Amino acid sequence: MTIRRALATCGLACLSLLSAPPAAAESYRTGACGDFTVAVIPDTQNYVDYRHQKWSGFPFDAVEQYYAQMRWIADNARSAGGDIVFATHVGDVWQHYSAWMDPEHAARGFKWIPNGGSEVAMSPKVHTRAFEIPVAVQGFELIAGKLPFSVVPGNHDMDALWTDPTHPPQPETGAAGIRHVGGLTGFQSAFSDTSPFFAGQPWYVASHDKGADSAQIFTAGKCRFLHIGLQYHAPDASLAWAAGVIARYAGLPTIVSTHDYLGRDGKRHLKSNPRNSILDPRDNDPEMIWDEFISRHDQIFMVLSGHVGGQGFSVATNRAGNPVYQVMADYQGRGQTAREAGADGQQVGDGWMRLMQFDLDADRPSVRVRTYSTHYGKFASDLPTYAEWYKAHDNQSALTDADYLKRDSFTIELTDFHRRFGAPGEVRRRR
């Protein structure tokens, strides 16, 4: 990606951000941050899947597990006396696609054939717009007004999943062909920058592509942080826009959320199918997003993602020589609650999400990462059967139960944080 090509596709929105002078870059803190938590909501697609509701013959309404997650976040928000100051949904809010092909790619000359091997692409389109998107919105209504939050589109939140006719499936070899996703009208109908969730909110500070990419400022005590949400396989224009946001809020510790980024092995994920960057020169896979954006901006210290069932963690070194903490969690494939209800083999999610508790006032700043189920009312570390239930499904059978649990209950030592952003009591000004 070149800056010229990115600006050509991004247009005036990115030009205005990049030409604006950086904010007066004082330290992100004017005093103590206090302990605070960021809630990470992994893929919720199986909760809102129309097939996982009583009216479709499922033994219970799986959407209630999703609502329970959102109520718990609201009840534990700082505004309600808790310690959660920000929530980020890492994408795949709902399950099914709502169109055969999106008009934008059709207008650019892309051809398509139906993806016959994918239930989510071939399902009745009416259920996505009539049920799945509305109940997803109802979930966010439970946290609206309680705390700042972000939601990014995953591949399932795009309008269409289609197959490139020049790379069709090959049943004789098992090759799935090359698929692409496109279209954001469904996502924008729910989470655009003009929606009641975000319009007029002082913490919602920037957006691009009608809210498919967005930026938020959240506070904890006397500290401010920047969060940037990027759409699935963020195109060049999205990365150029995000670079402008970084320039505008220079010096603020920054977290990036995007749907597909890290794999279970801690490496940036390159096995996704669809993988848009194969077909579309505007799109960027996780390695490209690292090379062209994340690694170039030293104030980005953490990247959060989902998409890949299970958990992943690694530390990468950016171009300034500083660490970037990469964290992945996706629990959509868990089905213990379905098993208990007589629907063995069905995947729901079981109410699991990530809670990241920050302690930035200590001499050794850290983030305590824990995994909590609002259905079972327990942390993973408090559930004796946790590994028995989930280890095999997460393709981690080779691990001991204790080592498997460590993937969902661990501490990140932010050894560089005070040096990069300022220690307690220290106020710096950059020009």
Side-chain angles (χ1 to χ4, degrees):
M1 183 189 75
T2 65
I3 293 296
R4 178 177 296 178
R5 182 157 67 92
L7 289 175
T9 56
C10 189
L12 293 177
C14 289
L15 284 171
S16 62
L17 278 172
L18 290 172
S19 61
E26 293 186 358
S27 170
Y28 78 101
R29 63 160 73 233
T30 58
C33 303
D35 289 353
F36 64 92
T37 292
V38 172
V40 184
I41 309 163
D43 312 40
T44 53
Q45 62 203 76
N46 278 321
Y47 298 130
V48 305
D49 188 331
Y50 75 88
R51 299 169 302 169
H52 293 163
Q53 318 302 325
K54 287 181 178 179
W55 61 268
S56 287
F58 202 66
F60 59 88
D61 288 326
V63 71
E64 292 298 332
Q65 291 189 18
Y66 164 58
Y67 292 155
Q69 285 185 319
M70 304 305 263
R71 290 190 191 98
W72 193 90
I73 291 172
D75 290 344
N76 289 275
R78 180 62 52 85
S79 63
D83 70 345
I84 301 176
V85 299
F86 186 75
T88 175
H89 192 305
V90 294
D92 277 2
V93 187
W94 51 82
Q95 179 77 294
H96 290 90
Y97 297 90
S98 58
W100 294 111
M101 174 65 164
D102 65 289
E104 189 268 338
H105 281 95
R108 290 174 57 201
F110 285 81
K111 306 299 182 183
W112 69 282
I113 57 176
N115 193 329
S118 173
E119 185 278 331
V120 293
M122 300 297 290
S123 67
K125 303 292 186 264
V126 63
H127 296 310
T128 308
R129 297 293 181 110
F131 179 80
E132 294 186 2
I133 295 178
V135 297
V137 169
Q138 289 170 24
F140 279 89
E141 288 173 348
L142 297 172
I143 65 171
K146 307 293 186 180
L147 76 172
F149 65 88
S150 166
V151 54
V152 299
N155 51 302
H156 283 252
D157 305 317
M158 299 293 204
D159 295 336
L161 167 64
W162 41 273
T163 298
D164 176 36
T166 62
H167 301 86
Q170 299 178 21
E172 64 277 9
T173 64
I178 297 180
R179 299 180 288 171
H180 198 295
V181 293
L184 285 162
T185 60
F187 183 85
Q188 292 159 345
S189 74
F191 303 114
S192 78
D193 49 4
T194 61
S195 77
F197 291 134
F198 307 124
Q201 294 291 346
W203 47 264
Y204 190 87
V205 296
S207 62
H208 169 253
D209 209 354
K210 298 181 181 178
D213 309 297
S214 62
Q216 300 80 26
I217 296 287
F218 67 91
T219 61
K222 295 185 177 180
C223 301
R224 295 199 310 156
F225 304 86
L226 174 65
H227 175 272
I228 294 176
L230 294 175
Q231 61 186 276
Y232 175 78
H233 287 194
D236 293 345
S238 298
L239 300 187
W241 165 84
V245 175
I246 291 283
R248 180 176 166 188
Y249 294 98
L252 288 189
T254 301
I255 299 172
V256 172
S257 292
T258 194
H259 180 61
D260 177 23
Y261 183 77
L262 204 68
R264 281 189 296 269
D265 58 3
K267 297 178 181 179
R268 286 180 286 277
H269 189 230
L270 292 176
K271 296 180 181 179
S272 180
N273 190 359
R275 189 166 148 210
N276 291 6
S277 60
I278 294 175
L279 297 177
D280 194 334
R282 295 183 183 180
D283 291 336
N284 295 284
D285 65 31
E287 194 65 31
M288 295 172 180
I289 293 172
W290 166 262
D291 288 339
E292 301 292 346
F293 174 60
I294 293 169
S295 68
R296 300 184 182 206
H297 298 281
D298 190 36
Q299 70 191 64
I300 300 174
F301 74 97
M302 182 173 286
V303 183
L304 305 174
S305 63
H307 187 64
V308 182
Q311 325 86 339
F313 173 74
S314 62
V315 183
T317 302
N318 66 19
R319 295 190 180 196
N322 288 318
V324 179
Y325 305 93
Q326 304 173 128
V327 188
M328 182 277 289
D330 175 10
Y331 305 116
Q332 62 167 298
R334 297 188 165 180
Q336 180 62 25
T337 53
R339 188 178 302 118
E340 293 166 355
D344 195 11
Q346 296 297 310
Q347 301 176 352
V348 180
D350 297 351
W352 294 99
M353 63 180 176
R354 277 281 173 85
L355 299 172
M356 308 185 73
Q357 186 178 39
F358 287 72
D359 178 5
L360 301 182
D361 296 331
D363 291 339
R364 295 173 60 88
S366 64
V367 182
R368 184 184 184 190
V369 180
R370 294 192 292 173
T371 304
Y372 182 76
S373 169
T374 52
H375 177 82
Y376 291 109
K378 293 182 181 296
F379 289 97
S381 56
D382 297 329
L383 192 62
T385 54
Y386 187 74
E388 175 187 337
W389 286 354
Y390 302 124
K391 187 170 67 172
H393 182 271
D394 286 346
N395 295 318
Q396 302 295 330
S397 295
L399 295 177
T400 66
D401 289 0
D403 285 341
Y404 175 73
L405 181 59
K406 289 178 182 178
R407 297 175 67 85
D408 272 320
S409 182
F410 60 97
T411 297
I412 304 172
E413 301 289 346
L414 304 178
T415 55
D416 62 301
F417 202 85
H418 289 337
R419 174 178 56 81
R420 289 169 74 178
F421 299 110
E426 178 185 354
V427 177
R428 298 180 297 169
R429 180 180 293 275
R430 301 176 186 172
R431 296 189 183 278

